[in-house]
């Protein structure tokens, strides 16, 4: 067999203004590169305690089952539905984009009956439609995506909690794109299962899915008549490792756990409320800039806009891929295109965690202006950056007034 010499790894240094993964703070890279220890080493147990304490603060919960699953965000979806659903159960999933649809698809792999309640991409699902769909039925779970990353839409959790209460259902919320960027309080909002991803607003590497489970959901797990169809994602056995016994379940990604711990330390140092405000302010400046450049947003109602992902309509005269490639080649900036029915119709600009910064918003607007002009799109010179600066000035004045 021929020997192929492969060069040393040397990836480009991108600014990832994508809907995930986001760029990471240098402190997180340093934690990732610290020496490996064994997953049952007594020292590592203390590190696991730290991770659980940090996760509980970020989710705002006292839940016993709170841990990072060794899986990407999709693993969080899978764990949520396979632990709750069994033969004879009925589930309702509110679908308004690719990722909420994924919850319905994964639930469809269980023996339960799954009903999708849909809204057009770019809008949240109306909780009234969920109420109507579940009326007179025994519904086990109501699930939805708090932040629908494919279209940049946020959904109000409290309205869905109300409907789930009326239906006697557990509430499952996907916060992959919203945790640590958007107000969320798992205990106060009585979310039964809430999961996220490490690579978005927490700004740790991809590959883990923090999850938390209410005592009510734990009770449902205990009363199951059948085994959970997945051994790996059976949360009750996985908790033997993350619980007080620390019994071996599988070998977790130790280095990713180190990185997650450091990323969460950064979240707590900043403070959740400051972080929510930072995401809001930077998105408002981005939107002001985009609109001043003559671009339109997919999500028309400002209240429905997810602060971490802004969906921009691609002007008809402009080539989606050429623009994204130029941003990458000339400015080292990555943004994302649309998924499914929104492919080639929108760009998705992510301002998540470490990437939600004033300097990046202004840089991106300038880079986008240059790129659009090169692609033949006419726009008022400097309008985007100018409008964003004004937005920051107003936000600063408003903050000073409220102090
Ligand atoms: C809202 C939402 N849920 C689930 C997922 C799936 O996560 P992953 O790609 O990490 O498996 C994503 C990924 O972007 C997401 O945005």
């Amino acid at each position: 067999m021929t020997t192929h010499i492969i060069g040393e790894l040397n990836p480009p240094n991108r600014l990832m203004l994508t809907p995930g993964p986001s760029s990471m703070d240098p402190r997180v890279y340093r934690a990732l590169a610290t020496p490996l220890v064994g997953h049952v080493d007594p020292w590592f147990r203390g590190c696991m305690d730290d991770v659980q304490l940090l996760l509980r603060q970020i989710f705002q919960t006292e839940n016993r089952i709170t841990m990072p699953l060794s899986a990407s965000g999709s693993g969080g979806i899978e764990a949520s539905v396979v632990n709750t659903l069994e033969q004879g159960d009925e589930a309702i999933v509110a679908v308004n984009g690719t990722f909420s649809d994924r919850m319905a698809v994964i639930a469809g792999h269980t023996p339960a009956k799954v009903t999708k309640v849909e809204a057009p991409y770019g809008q949240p699902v109306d909780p009234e439609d969920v109420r109507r769909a579940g009326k007179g039925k025994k519904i086990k779970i109501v699930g939805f995506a708090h932040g629908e990353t494919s279209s940049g839409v946020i959904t109000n959790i409290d309205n869905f909690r109300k409907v789930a209460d009326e239906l006697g259902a557990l509430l499952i919320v996907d916060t992959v794109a919203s945790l640590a960027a958007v107000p969320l309080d798992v205990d106060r909002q009585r979310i039964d299962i809430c999961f996220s991803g490490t690579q978005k607003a927490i700004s740790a590497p991809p590959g883990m899915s923090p999850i938390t489970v209410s005592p009510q959901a734990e009770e449902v797990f205990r009363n199951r008549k059948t085994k959970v169809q997945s051994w790996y994602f059976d949360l009750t056995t996985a908790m033997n490792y993350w619980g007080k016994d620390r019994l071996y379940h599988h070998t977790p990604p130790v280095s990713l756990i180190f990185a997650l711990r450091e990323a969460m330390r950064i979240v707590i140092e900043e403070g959740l409320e400051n972080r929510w405000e930072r995401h809001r302010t930077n998105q408002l400046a981005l939107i002001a800039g985009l609109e001043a450049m003559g671009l339109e947003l997919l999500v028309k109602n400002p209240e429905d806009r997810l602060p971490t992902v802004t969906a921009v309509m691609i002007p008809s005269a402009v080539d989606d891929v050429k623009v994204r490639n130029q941003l990458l080649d000339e400015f080292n900036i990555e943004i994302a295109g649309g998924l499914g029915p929104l492919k080639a119709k929108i760009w998705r600009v992510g301002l998540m965690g470490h990437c939600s910064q004033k300097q990046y918003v202004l840089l991106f607007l300038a880079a986008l202006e240059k790129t659009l002009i090169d692609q033949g799109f006419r726009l008022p010179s400097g309008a985007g950056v100018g409008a964003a600066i004004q937005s920051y000035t107003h936000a600063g004045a408003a903050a000073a007034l409220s102090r």
Side-chain angles (χ1 to χ4, degrees):
M1 199 174 169
T2 326
T3 304
H4 293 279
I5 305 294
I6 305 293
E8 192 181 344
L9 189 67
N10 187 18
N13 195 0
R14 306 284 198 215
L15 173 60
M16 287 182 288
L17 301 184
T18 68
S22 55
S23 302
M24 301 193 309
D25 189 286
R27 280 172 53 183
V28 180
Y29 285 108
R30 286 200 293 275
L32 195 59
T34 50
L36 195 63
V37 296
H39 58 292
V40 289
D41 187 309
W43 180 88
F44 189 62
R45 291 177 185 197
C47 179
M48 290 167 72
D49 289 340
D50 296 343
V51 166
Q52 286 181 294
L53 271 176
L54 287 159
L55 272 181
R56 288 195 182 99
Q57 291 176 74
I58 293 174
F59 275 126
Q60 305 214 63
T61 186
E62 304 284 334
N63 286 341
R64 185 186 77 95
I65 301 189
T66 303
M67 62 184 162
L69 294 174
S70 309
S72 71
S74 305
I77 307 180
E78 183 128 1
S80 304
V81 301
V82 299
N83 281 275
T84 46
L85 296 176
E86 53 188 328
Q87 185 73 42
D89 289 339
E90 280 202 46
I92 295 182
V93 182
V95 174
N96 62 339
T98 306
F99 294 103
S100 42
D101 188 56
R102 183 170 295 180
M103 191 187 285
V105 169
I106 299 178
H109 284 240
T110 73
K113 177 166 182 256
V114 181
T115 302
K116 288 207 252 183
V117 176
E118 299 186 69
Y121 287 17
Q123 292 173 28
V125 171
D126 186 345
E128 195 50 47
D129 291 343
V130 174
R131 183 177 284 121
R132 220 172 291 123
K135 205 166 177 200
K137 296 182 186 154
K138 200 165 176 293
I139 303 296
K140 185 84 165 282
I141 63 165
V142 169
F144 69 98
H146 184 211
E148 177 45 78
T149 325
S150 64
S151 56
V153 170
I154 188 155
T155 291
N156 181 302
I157 294 175
D158 298 335
N159 295 340
F160 274 76
R161 177 68 268 179
K162 235 168 124 189
V163 175
D165 278 341
E166 285 168 30
L167 299 175
L170 295 175
L171 187 67
I172 297 184
V173 185
D174 173 339
T175 61
V176 170
S178 56
L179 185 69
V182 177
L184 174 87
D185 186 326
V186 165
D187 284 359
R188 192 184 55 72
Q189 296 181 293
R190 295 188 297 109
I191 302 172
D192 289 300
I193 305 184
C194 188
F195 61 87
S196 190
T198 43
Q199 76 274 29
K200 308 241 179 190
I202 295 176
S203 291
M208 303 204 81
S209 176
I211 191 164
T212 187
V213 175
S214 73
Q216 290 74 12
E218 266 201 72
E219 181 65 19
V220 167
F221 298 173
R222 267 194 296 275
N223 292 333
R224 283 182 67 102
K225 294 181 201 68
T226 54
K227 270 193 190 152
V228 176
Q229 70 198 74
S230 160
W231 177 88
Y232 198 75
F233 288 118
D234 180 338
L235 290 174
T236 53
T237 51
M239 259 315 272
N240 291 337
Y241 178 57
W242 281 95
K244 64 177 173 16
D245 296 336
R246 297 282 190 253
L247 290 179
Y248 168 75
H249 178 263
H250 66 274
T251 311
V254 172
S255 302
L256 292 187
I257 292 173
F258 289 167
L260 173 61
R261 180 183 181 278
E262 189 59 21
M264 292 194 296
R265 268 170 28 85
I266 294 172
V267 173
I268 296 301
E269 278 169 23
E270 180 178 8
L272 284 174
E273 286 180 9
N274 292 338
R275 209 169 169 91
W276 300 336
E277 188 51 35
R278 171 163 66 84
H279 281 82
R280 212 181 73 84
T281 306
N282 286 323
Q283 191 199 34
L284 287 179
L286 173 69
I287 289 174
L290 293 168
E291 290 184 333
M293 290 163 78
L295 298 167
E296 265 184 57
L297 302 188
L298 171 73
V299 183
K300 303 299 175 217
N301 180 357
E303 283 184 11
D304 296 338
R305 289 176 188 152
L306 174 64
T308 49
V309 183
T310 304
V312 191
M313 304 297 295
I314 302 176
S316 52
V318 170
D319 185 295
D320 169 20
V321 177
K322 275 194 187 153
V323 167
R324 285 192 283 127
N325 284 347
Q326 189 178 338
L327 283 170
L328 206 57
D329 296 341
E330 197 174 335
F331 297 99
N332 255 328
I333 295 176
E334 186 187 355
I335 63 166
L339 295 172
L342 294 172
K343 190 173 160 50
K345 294 206 169 72
I346 59 166
W347 292 309
R348 293 177 302 145
V349 185
L351 294 178
M352 296 180 152
H354 184 68
C355 286
S356 173
Q357 294 194 40
K358 191 194 292 181
Q359 54 175 328
Y360 298 148
V361 170
L362 298 178
L363 170 66
F364 169 69
L365 288 169
L368 184 65
E369 175 177 329
K370 157 87 169 55
T371 306
L372 287 175
I373 289 171
D374 289 352
Q375 302 291 333
F377 184 73
R378 294 166 74 92
L379 74 165
S381 172
V385 170
I389 290 171
Q390 261 195 355
S391 171
Y392 283 122
T393 308
H394 286 316
L401 272 178
S402 68
R403 273 200 289 271

